[in-house]
Amino acid sequence: MQPTYVLTDTERDELFAALQTVTENPYADYAAFSKAVTVLREGPLVPSAFVDACRIIRRERENGVSDAHALRNCPLDAEVPVLDHDDPLADKYAKKKTFVGETLMELFAQLTGTPLLAYASRFNGDFFTDVVAINRYSGQQTGFSDGELVYHNDRTAHRVRADFITLLGMRCPSEELVYTGFVEGRALLAHLSADEQQALRTPWFVTPFDVFSKDNNNSLTVSETHPILENDHSFRYLDSHTTVAPDSPVEAKDALIALKNALARAEKKRHRLLVGDLFSFANQDGLHNREKIDVQDAQRAKSRWLLKTYAFRDESKAEQHEGTWVDGVRGLVAD
């Protein structure tokens, strides 16, 4: 997949200098941090090339041109620590003292009009989380494993799901070929008949909660019954895990098989995140995965670290969830 825009080294350095002016800690006071980024966005320091690239992405999303975009050669913190794989979150808190990457991602969210959200039950309610291998999840179907991931939406079983996910390559070993795949919901629809689509729009399906969510709340087992296809082309689906609910009619099983066939046939995009790549894609209007194409050193590949944000589609979508805000912090949802 070709990047939407590649910053020149001069543009990267200018943007780095601008991002460094934000000194608030997003893990200590996100609201103050976000306000500081708003001041930066409204000032003269952000290079016009970055603003224009974000404007293109926002326009292509709104016009249905593409739901996946990448920016390359973005600035990062001058020091990117190596994270411990037993407790990478605590290690990040201890080692990461600058927040250039986080400022970049908040600025991107503001310029594209996609307000960030966080989950109160995960990572202390942080708005910036880490896609990094955690030892206790090795080999399991979670973003915190060191293995591959099937096509899915993040937090498929949960009530509140982000519209967009953005990843920033903090540490991506150049010798290891690991790709993020993406298939747009529109591409899946093209391989589904009207009857199959109608069956997928019926709440005949269930999805088990992911292992990480269960570790944070042992009362979670399986979702309520839900449709797989929502809105125009939103898919709520975790491949090889989402299944038909008990007592569902045979049409549900047939539709699920049809979706699996559509997923095999649909056109896909693949992006290999490099250090300094920002990759943003639809979480609900598409499905994504992780593919390990060629790994020469498993331990080295395990050090891969992507900074991650969740976002609502726009301000109006965020306002629909105002009743879920936790402790008065807008964008921090209880789910």
Side-chain angles (χ1 to χ4, degrees):
M1 177 177 159
Q2 292 296 317
T4 306
Y5 187 75
V6 180
L7 277 72
T8 67
D9 289 350
T10 298
E11 290 166 348
R12 179 200 62 205
D13 293 345
E14 289 177 350
L15 184 54
F16 176 80
L19 299 174
Q20 276 195 313
T21 64
V22 176
T23 58
E24 283 78 3
N25 183 336
Y27 304 106
D29 189 342
Y30 171 75
F33 167 81
S34 181
K35 289 178 182 177
V37 176
T38 300
V39 172
L40 172 65
R41 171 174 59 85
E42 294 173 347
L45 298 181
V46 179
S48 59
F50 184 76
V51 175
D52 291 342
C54 293
R55 184 178 295 118
I56 290 170
I57 291 171
R58 184 171 185 171
R59 183 168 63 246
E60 289 194 353
R61 287 173 172 175
E62 292 172 349
N63 294 337
V65 175
S66 178
D67 281 323
H69 299 86
L71 301 178
R72 177 152 287 169
N73 199 32
C74 296
L76 300 177
D77 300 83
E79 295 185 13
V80 176
V82 176
L83 298 183
D84 169 72
H85 293 289
D86 287 327
D87 191 349
L89 180 61
D91 207 36
K92 180 179 72 171
Y93 289 160
K95 293 178 178 177
K96 196 171 189 298
K97 302 303 182 184
T98 60
F99 309 105
V100 171
E102 290 86 347
T103 305
L104 173 74
M105 299 183 84
E106 173 71 22
L107 179 62
F108 175 80
Q110 292 192 18
L111 288 171
T112 55
T114 51
L116 296 187
L117 71 118
Y119 296 97
S121 61
R122 293 161 69 94
F123 304 112
N124 303 317
D126 289 344
F127 284 76
F128 304 90
T129 61
D130 309 299
V131 181
V132 64
I134 301 176
N135 284 332
R136 66 182 177 276
Y137 296 118
S138 179
Q140 301 186 55
Q141 190 59 208
T142 171
F144 310 109
S145 77
D146 52 2
E148 295 189 323
L149 298 176
V150 298
Y151 276 100
H152 67 286
N153 321 104
D154 271 27
R155 297 179 67 77
T156 315
H158 290 264
R159 182 172 54 89
V160 179
R161 299 175 304 283
D163 294 303
F164 286 101
I165 290 172
T166 300
L167 303 171
L168 178 62
M170 301 292 289
R171 185 174 297 280
C172 305
S174 60
E175 303 88 348
E176 315 302 337
L177 299 183
V178 181
Y179 281 75
T180 301
F182 178 76
V183 57
E184 293 192 351
R186 299 181 191 88
L188 291 172
L189 284 186
H191 297 277
L192 294 166
S193 71
D195 286 345
E196 290 163 348
Q197 291 182 34
Q198 184 56 47
L200 292 171
R201 291 185 181 278
T202 308
W204 286 336
F205 308 92
V206 292
T207 302
F209 283 89
D210 61 281
V211 63
F212 186 82
S213 294
K214 290 179 181 178
D215 281 355
N216 283 276
N217 184 349
N218 58 20
S219 68
L220 298 176
T221 55
V222 67
S223 73
E224 79 287 354
T225 55
H226 65 82
I228 288 178
L229 178 56
E230 301 174 305
N231 306 315
D232 181 36
H233 54 271
S234 299
F235 284 82
R236 185 177 179 183
Y237 180 67
L238 174 58
D239 195 27
S240 75
H241 291 71
T242 299
T243 188
V244 296
D247 302 323
S248 294
V250 67
E251 291 88 347
K253 183 177 181 180
D254 291 343
L256 183 62
I257 293 172
L259 175 60
K260 289 178 179 291
N261 291 338
L263 183 56
R265 296 166 181 161
E267 179 184 0
K268 300 173 182 67
K269 301 176 182 179
R270 291 178 174 87
H271 184 70
R272 182 190 176 202
L273 276 136
L274 305 179
V275 171
D277 272 14
L278 186 148
F279 185 33
S280 189
F281 51 88
N283 182 46
Q284 297 194 59
D285 286 351
L287 303 172
H288 61 281
N289 77 343
R290 180 197 295 160
E291 295 180 85
K292 299 173 74 172
I293 302 299
D294 188 10
V295 171
Q296 300 294 323
D297 185 326
Q299 194 62 32
R300 182 171 57 201
K302 188 177 180 179
S303 70
R304 185 174 186 256
W305 172 22
L306 310 178
L307 199 62
K308 177 180 184 177
T309 58
Y310 291 121
F312 289 117
R313 178 174 299 282
D314 51 34
E315 191 69 24
S316 64
K317 181 66 178 292
E319 290 172 355
Q320 294 176 22
H321 294 277
E322 283 192 348
T324 66
W325 302 150
V326 176
D327 296 330
V329 179
R330 194 170 190 274
L332 182 62
V333 298
D335 183 36

